[in-house]
Amino acid sequence: MHLPSEIIKLYSLMGSTKVYQPFLKNFILAVFAGAFIAFGAVGSQIVSCAVTPVALGRAMSGLIFPVGLIMVIVAGGELFTGNCLLFIPVLDHQISIGDFVKNLAIVYFGNMVGSFLVAAFVNFGHVLSLYHGELIKTVVTTAAVKSNMPFIDALIKGILCNVLVCIAVWASQASEELSGRIIALYLPIFLFVVCGFEHSVANMYFIPAGMLAQYVYGAAGHITLFGFFVSNLLPVTLGNLIGGSFLVGGGYYLAYMRAMRGYEDD
């Protein structure tokens, strides 16, 4: 098992590898990651559709959704929320803040492409027609709730979400065994789903899927581009950045790396 002090060294060294890889490779891996998260989101909606009580349905969603991050970690992918931890090598002067921002921008839009594609495929392939229209209602309702969320709620839920996601990614590095990595990341992701926190990349599937369902199936719902980008994606993305980069990345840097670099207080 790798100790936290060893994991943070790994992240510091990993920074240059990630930010200096070719644009096309970075973007393609980001598209895959966005699609993987979207697949987990689709599955989580299917298993929880019309389940009562609601708390049971949410728990069932939490059991399936982590499959998306498992695919990202095991099969390879670049995920915006996980890459927020690249703030560690920024603080350790291994990469520049410009490299950090550039990487997040490329990965963010790649994730968006992958998520959008899955949202389009499940709609136009009529995957959402399961359960005699009940799944369509679930997809549209989820999108409507998310796109009409108060800004401050979305921001805070975004912060809390990426604290857990980055802890999951961090914990997965503690083991060299595949089974250990999966177990370590599984429970924090389950927890964020059960708590109803907001993940920007997952919402790149959830909301577009609901928007498309309004047209493909004629489902009723008040979902707009403004609601998607401004009411949800903007605050959730900012929250994810704060939670992953500043709280987890910055916090662990201060706790471990700063001391190892000889900056500890007397």
Side-chain angles (χ1 to χ4, degrees), residues 69-84:
L69 185 59
I70 291 171
M71 288 191 286
V72 172
I73 297 295
V74 177
E78 294 290 330
L79 186 64
F80 169 79
T81 45
N83 279 22
C84 286

Side-chain angles (χ1 to χ4, degrees), residues 36-104:
F36 294 157
I37 295 299
F39 283 134
V42 175
S44 72
Q45 289 185 312
I46 290 173
V47 300
S48 64
C49 179
V51 172
T52 55
V54 175
L56 177 60
R58 182 166 284 184
M60 292 177 68
S61 288
L63 291 174
I64 299 300
F65 187 86
V67 174
L69 185 59
I70 291 171
M71 288 191 286
V72 172
I73 297 295
V74 177
E78 294 290 330
L79 186 64
F80 169 79
T81 45
N83 279 22
C84 286
L85 284 173
L86 291 177
F87 194 57
I88 292 171
V90 171
L91 294 173
D92 199 36
H93 305 294
Q94 300 299 312
I95 62 174
S96 69
I97 190 69
D99 293 330
F100 172 67
V101 172
K102 179 181 177 181
N103 177 270
L104 288 188

Side-chain angles (χ1 to χ4, degrees), residues 7-25:
I7 295 172
I8 199 164
K9 291 179 184 178
L10 175 65
Y11 267 104
S12 185
L13 296 173
M14 188 188 303
S16 58
T17 302
K18 281 182 171 288
V19 301
Y20 297 131
Q21 65 186 354
F23 170 85
L24 186 59
K25 178 182 179 181

